């Protein structure tokens, strides 16, 4: 198995190369992805993260997919920042249910300095439970990443969401470059990067390939790559679009696996809608991380019983905290 503590020298991917992977016959693509997957990872181990929305709704941004934007009428009830004990209780329950990483998400354009202290305290306490910590708080200002690192933050999630070319059709209140700036700050502070995107927003295959190319060309590549299937939330501008062919989702997972061989690729939002058979294909295509727990941030996720049954049918098991891998 590859030693993940060492930086992996990544090649630069061109759009044509990534599009060529997408165009392979499905079986050839999955075979290649599974082969690469097995060179680095235990093929039956899946990293388990649990999400908690620590501040819900009322966001200033206009992301066209998001239930939490104040600009869309989704009927979501706004909530203030949770207090630290409530977060710790949720983290304990997640650990009990088998999660090794706890991801705390806030509906902010970016954190205000007065809120960052409270989030840092949450990170400190969750870390003290022996869990890996992740937060997703929007764009960071200089110094904020360092404050989070100092509190013990392991991962910062900040998605590119879609290719630069399509970004303006999804979000107008911040830019693709703003996202890259925050990712640079996260890297420079020594925090692991969790960065992925959403597919099924009406984008073309070329745009999907562009997103994967941009992710794969981040240097170093993100340690964690969440691939989200759009969850169509009524009241958002994207709720009305056509459904994406699920094989296109599986192809995206496979192309992410091939182009980012040492990253954990997360089969992220949309698992309820994808069903068991498509999820199984995603694992075959090299997905090796999921969100477990019956809620994502504001929408549903499969119940623990359903995930346990699926893992049992497929012979999958949860992956221990990184660095303490199974030897199978
Ligand atoms: N506000 C912060 C930000 O935008 O970075 C953090 C929270 S935001 C909800 C985190 C990510 O969730 C988004 O970047 C997007 O990729 C994903 N997401 C949000 N709504 C979604 C939806 N309806 N379907 C799929 N993914 C979604
Ligand atoms: C990510 O890429 N997906 C997660 C997490 N990072 C923060 C969020 C999915 C949100 C799905 C819609 C919702 O529940 O609001
Ligand atoms: Fe706000 Fe994040 Fe939702 Fe965009 S994705 S509206 S920044 S919570």
């Amino acid at each position: 198995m590859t030693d993940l503590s060492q930086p992996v020298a990544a090649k630069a991917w061109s759009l044509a190369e990534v599009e060529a992977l997408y165009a392979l016959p499905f079986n050839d693509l999955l075979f290649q992805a599974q082969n690469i997957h097995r060179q680095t990872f235990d093929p039956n181990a899946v990293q388990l993260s649990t999400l908690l929305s620590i501040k819900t709704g009322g966001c200033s941004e206009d992301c066209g997919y998001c239930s939490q934007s104040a600009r869309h009428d989704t009927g979501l009830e706004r909530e203030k920042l949770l207090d630290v004990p409530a977060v710790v209780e949720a983290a304990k329950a997640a650990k009990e249910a088998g999660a090794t990483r706890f991801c705390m998400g806030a509906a902010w354009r970016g954190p205000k300095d007065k809120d960052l202290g409270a989030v840092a305290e949450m990170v400190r306490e969750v870390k003290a439970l022996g869990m890996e910590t992740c937060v997703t708080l929007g764009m960071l200002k200089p110094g904020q990443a360092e404050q989070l690192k100092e509190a013990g933050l392991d991962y910062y999630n900040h998605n590119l969401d879609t290719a630069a070319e399509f970004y303006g059709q999804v979000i107008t209140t911040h830019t693709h470059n703003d996202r890259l700036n925050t990712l640079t700050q996260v890297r420079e502070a020594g925090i692991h990067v969790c960065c992925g995107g959403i597919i099924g927003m009406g984008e073309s295959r070329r745009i999907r390939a562009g997103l994967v190319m941009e992710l794969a060309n981040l240097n170093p590549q993100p340690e964690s790559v969440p691939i989200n299937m759009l969850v169509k939330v009524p009241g958002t501008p994207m709720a009305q679009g056509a459904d994406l062919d699920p094989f296109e989702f599986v192809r995206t997972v496979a192309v992410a696996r091939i182009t980012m061989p040492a990253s954990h690729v997360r089969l992220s939002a949309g698992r309820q809608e994808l069903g068991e058979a498509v999820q199984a294909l995603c694992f075959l295509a090299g997905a090796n991380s999921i969100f477990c727990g019956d809620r994502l941030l504001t929408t549903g996720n499969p119940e623990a019983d359903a995930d346990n049954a699926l893992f049992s049918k497929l012979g999958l098991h949860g992956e221990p905290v990184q660095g303490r891998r199974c030897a199978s």
Side-chain angles (χ1 to χ4, degrees), residues 178-312:
D178 290 331
R179 302 297 279 186
L180 291 170
N181 282 339
T182 289
L183 290 170
T184 302
Q185 294 183 50
V186 169
R187 267 284 169 236
E188 284 176 354
I191 299 168
H192 291 139
V193 168
C194 174
C195 182
I198 311 181
I199 67 165
M201 300 190 294
E203 75 285 341
S204 62
R205 179 180 276 186
R206 198 170 79 94
I207 296 296
R208 289 190 277 281
L211 167 68
V212 176
M213 179 194 73
E214 288 172 16
L215 293 169
N217 287 343
L218 291 172
N219 189 11
Q221 295 188 329
E223 283 77 11
S224 166
V225 180
I227 307 291
N228 297 279
M229 175 73 119
L230 173 70
V231 178
K232 290 182 179 172
V233 178
T236 61
M238 294 201 162
Q240 305 301 334
D243 285 343
L244 183 80
D245 182 335
F247 294 125
E248 198 60 18
F249 186 85
V250 180
R251 280 182 186 275
T252 303
V253 169
V255 175
R257 166 51 63 227
I258 293 167
T259 55
M260 294 173 272
S263 304
H264 276 77
V265 175
R266 182 173 305 125
L267 165 52
S268 197
R271 288 200 300 119
Q272 260 181 341
E273 294 74 11
L274 290 173
E276 284 195 330
V278 178
Q279 290 186 67
L281 284 174
C282 289
F283 292 127
L284 189 63
N288 62 345
S289 173
I290 58 167
F291 287 120
C292 58
D294 59 8
R295 265 197 109 54
L296 290 164
L297 289 173
T298 67
T299 65
N301 198 42
E303 301 276 343
D305 285 353
D307 279 344
N308 290 338
L310 181 61
F311 272 43
S312 162

Side-chain angles (χ1 to χ4, degrees), residues 107-134:
W108 289 325
R109 174 180 164 85
K112 297 197 171 70
D113 282 334
K114 74 170 171 55
D115 291 322
L116 200 68
V119 175
E121 193 50 32
M122 292 171 193
V123 169
R124 234 175 244 118
E125 299 242 350
V126 173
K127 184 86 179 160
L129 299 176
M131 298 187 86
E132 292 179 325
T133 53
C134 176

